[in-house]
Amino acid sequence: MDRRHEQGQAALAAAGHLRRMIVEGALRPGEPLRETKIAEVLGVSRNTLREAFRSLANDGLVVHEMNRGTRVNQLSAEAIREIYELRRFIEIPALRDGRRTDEVVARMRASVAAADAARHRGEWIEVGTADLDFHRAIVSLTGNSRLIAFHEKMAAELRLAFGVLDPEVLHEPFIDRNVQIAARFADGEAAFAAELLADYLSVSENLVLSTHLTIH
Amino acid sequence: MDRRHEQGQAALAAAGHLRRMIVEGALRPGEPLRETKIAEVLGVSRNTLREAFRSLANDGLVVHEMNRGTRVNQLSAEAIREIYELRRFIEIPALRDGRRTDEVVARMRASVAAADAARHRGEWIEVGTADLDFHRAIVSLTGNSRLIAFHEKMAAELRLAFGVLDPEVLHEPFIDRNVQIAARFADGEAAFAAELLADYLSVSENLVLSTHLTIH
DNA sequence: GCATATTTGTCCGTATGTATA
DNA sequence: CTATACATACGGACAAATATG
């Protein structure tokens, strides 16, 4: 049996594989991605791999330079500041002014529960995933699919910075903050929840930036 | 003569060519883009054309469905509402709170002058381009490159809806509005300029939506 | 500054899966 | 159901740009 097409989309599978390797830190920021080598490892042709690269470049996980190839994106301190500025700009009004629904409240609770469970297992990558899902739930309050996609792309980009930092130090302090935010929002105290969220983002930005600066 | 490599970047050139045809209405929303045929017309291989399609899909100008190919994107009324909601969310605070610089003021004046000149020549596509450039200048006040790129992508997407409408009716009324907004902002009356901008966006949205609905 | 090796950019031919008349 | 058109994917080839010694 020919399994090449059983997933239906070789480029998508390759992109997913690379995405996971980047998020987990197996491929480090700045590392060049050689087409021939990676195509061989993933078992796809160079043409297919180049399509996967396009998809990842679209998400900001890799950057492509003409005639110089593709490499894992490396966030500058300025880029990190930009992303947090936009997270504030998007998430705080979304939480403060968004229409509360049972569906979103349930999704928030599920995310914080998943983060807490992953903490006890010591799986910090999973904690990070659950954390981002919590904040995606906040943005989903806007109901604007383009804004949701934009925020999701930035969140994925931010994980590039997380990848080189100590995941426990980075994520552990924020689980309880998310619990508080979710509880306040569920109780109808959206304005107070938004203030807690503003605190979260400030502290998180300073932590990521300070650690980022000491490394580079 | 072999013209295949003389431009250095066939995929980029092909994407630019298709982008222009879509914006000018030569390719209409919903129209399927056959790989073999278009590759032949543009004089590039199918591999190269597929890379160009990825780039256009990234910008929201075309949509790709698995095993069903690529077609020119067709904006729904809901999509148009989403885009205007985000234009308000982004442009109004940018104009109201942005730091005024001579550079941006000059860029605004250049844009409205270009729009006015194109009006007298009857070149409405050019008017549309100048109009969008004016609003890009507003967003550039934020200094956030990611926000600027996001806004630009939405503006390009919006031109899909413009393409099937009467360009004179669509653009003519807004040239003078931009003149007023630019003048107020240059005079330091940012808050008033922002109110005029809010008016602009409301009227524009209603015009595009009403014409869109009567057509579809 | 030059010659060489590596890598990317692009094209072609072909086989196979998928959708549709 | 079959036939046809089309998209998906592979592998090989060569040109052009870049990196290396």
Side-chain angles (χ1 to χ4, degrees):
Chain A
M1 171 138 27
D2 187 352
R3 77 172 57 76
R4 275 178 305 182
H5 295 134
E6 79 183 7
Q7 289 207 341
Q9 183 76 303
L12 218 60
H17 205 273
L18 289 171
R19 183 175 284 111
R20 199 161 53 80
M21 290 180 73
I22 292 172
V23 168
E24 292 179 354
L27 297 172
R28 319 214 71 187
E31 186 170 341
L33 303 174
R34 311 283 178 203
E35 293 183 355
T36 53
K37 182 166 187 172
I38 294 181
E40 189 183 5
V41 171
L42 297 185
V44 298
S45 75
R46 270 183 64 215
N47 284 326
T48 301
L49 181 65
R50 285 166 67 87
E51 285 211 21
F53 281 170
R54 284 249 167 203
S55 172
L56 295 172
N58 184 353
D59 296 344
L61 292 183
V62 306
V63 291
H64 182 91
E65 285 173 288
M66 180 63 184
N67 291 323
R68 299 197 61 209
T70 301
R71 64 184 60 222
V72 180
N73 191 9
Q74 193 160 18
L75 292 190
S76 64
E78 178 56 28
I80 293 172
R81 281 191 214 96
E82 268 197 3
I83 291 174
Y84 273 100
E85 180 181 33
L86 289 175
R87 288 189 68 180
R88 277 191 210 90
F89 185 62
I90 294 170
E91 293 183 26
I92 292 174
L95 188 66
R96 181 170 12 89
D97 307 326
R99 201 171 61 80
R100 189 170 82 254
T101 66
D102 293 343
E103 182 197 343
V104 177
V105 170
R107 187 173 160 195
M108 287 182 180
R109 290 204 164 114
S111 297
V112 296
D116 194 53
R119 160 166 57 179
H120 288 99
R121 294 196 306 273
E123 296 175 358
W124 298 107
I125 303 262
E126 289 300 314
V127 173
T129 301
D131 181 28
L132 290 184
D133 192 59
F134 176 73
H135 291 265
R136 273 205 298 270
I138 290 174
V139 180
S140 76
L141 288 166
T142 66
N144 192 305
S145 67
R146 282 165 177 77
L147 191 62
I148 292 169
F150 179 54
H151 177 269
E152 183 155 0
K153 177 179 157 179
M154 279 194 302
E157 214 180 336
L158 196 53
R159 301 195 86 169
L160 287 168
F162 293 175
V164 292
L165 307 180
D166 177 7
E168 178 165 356
V169 171
L170 191 67
H171 290 300
E172 207 280 333
F174 298 99
I175 301 175
D176 291 336
R177 286 178 182 264
N178 285 344
V179 172
Q180 289 299 319
I181 293 170
R184 293 294 186 173
F185 182 74
D187 289 349
E189 302 176 67
F192 188 37
E195 284 181 36
L196 294 177
L197 174 59
D199 279 344
Y200 169 114
L201 291 171
S202 290
V203 174
S204 175
E205 177 178 8
N206 288 332
L207 177 60
V208 173
L209 271 177
S210 63
T211 319
H212 180 85
L213 291 174
T214 58
I215 288 178
H216 295 86
Chain B
M1 183 176 347
D2 187 355
R3 73 172 64 79
R4 278 177 303 184
H5 293 133
E6 81 184 5
Q7 286 206 345
Q9 181 71 301
L12 218 61
H17 205 275
L18 289 171
R19 183 175 283 109
R20 198 160 54 80
M21 292 180 72
I22 292 172
V23 168
E24 292 179 355
L27 297 172
R28 321 214 67 188
E31 186 170 341
L33 303 174
R34 312 280 177 208
E35 292 184 355
T36 53
K37 182 168 187 174
I38 293 182
E40 189 183 5
V41 171
L42 297 185
V44 299
S45 75
R46 295 206 312 287
N47 283 329
T48 302
L49 183 64
R50 285 165 67 86
E51 288 213 17
F53 281 170
R54 283 254 168 198
S55 172
L56 294 172
N58 183 351
D59 296 345
L61 292 183
V62 304
V63 292
H64 182 91
E65 285 172 288
M66 180 63 184
N67 290 325
R68 298 197 59 205
T70 302
R71 62 184 61 222
V72 181
N73 191 11
Q74 194 161 16
L75 293 190
S76 64
E78 179 55 31
I80 294 173
R81 281 191 214 97
E82 269 197 3
I83 291 174
Y84 274 98
E85 180 180 34
L86 289 175
R87 287 189 67 180
R88 278 191 209 90
F89 184 62
I90 294 170
E91 293 183 27
I92 292 174
L95 188 67
R96 179 169 14 89
D97 308 325
R99 202 171 60 81
R100 190 170 79 253
T101 66
D102 292 344
E103 182 197 344
V104 177
V105 170
R107 186 173 160 197
M108 288 182 179
R109 290 201 164 117
S111 298
V112 296
D116 195 52
R119 160 165 60 178
H120 288 97
R121 296 194 307 271
E123 295 175 358
W124 298 107
I125 303 264
E126 289 299 315
V127 173
T129 301
D131 181 27
L132 289 184
D133 192 59
F134 175 73
H135 291 266
R136 274 205 297 269
I138 290 174
V139 180
S140 76
L141 288 166
T142 66
N144 191 305
S145 66
R146 282 165 176 77
L147 191 63
I148 292 170
F150 179 55
H151 177 269
E152 184 155 1
K153 176 178 157 179
M154 279 194 302
E157 214 179 338
L158 197 53
R159 300 195 88 170
L160 287 168
F162 294 175
V164 293
L165 307 180
D166 177 7
E168 179 167 354
V169 170
L170 192 67
H171 290 301
E172 207 279 336
F174 299 100
I175 301 176
D176 291 336
R177 286 177 183 266
N178 285 345
V179 172
Q180 290 299 319
I181 293 170
R184 294 294 185 173
F185 182 74
D187 289 349
E189 302 176 68
F192 188 37
E195 285 182 35
L196 294 177
L197 174 60
D199 279 344
Y200 171 114
L201 291 171
S202 290
V203 174
S204 176
E205 178 179 8
N206 288 332
L207 178 61
V208 173
L209 271 178
S210 63
T211 318
H212 180 85
L213 291 175
T214 59
I215 288 179
H216 294 86

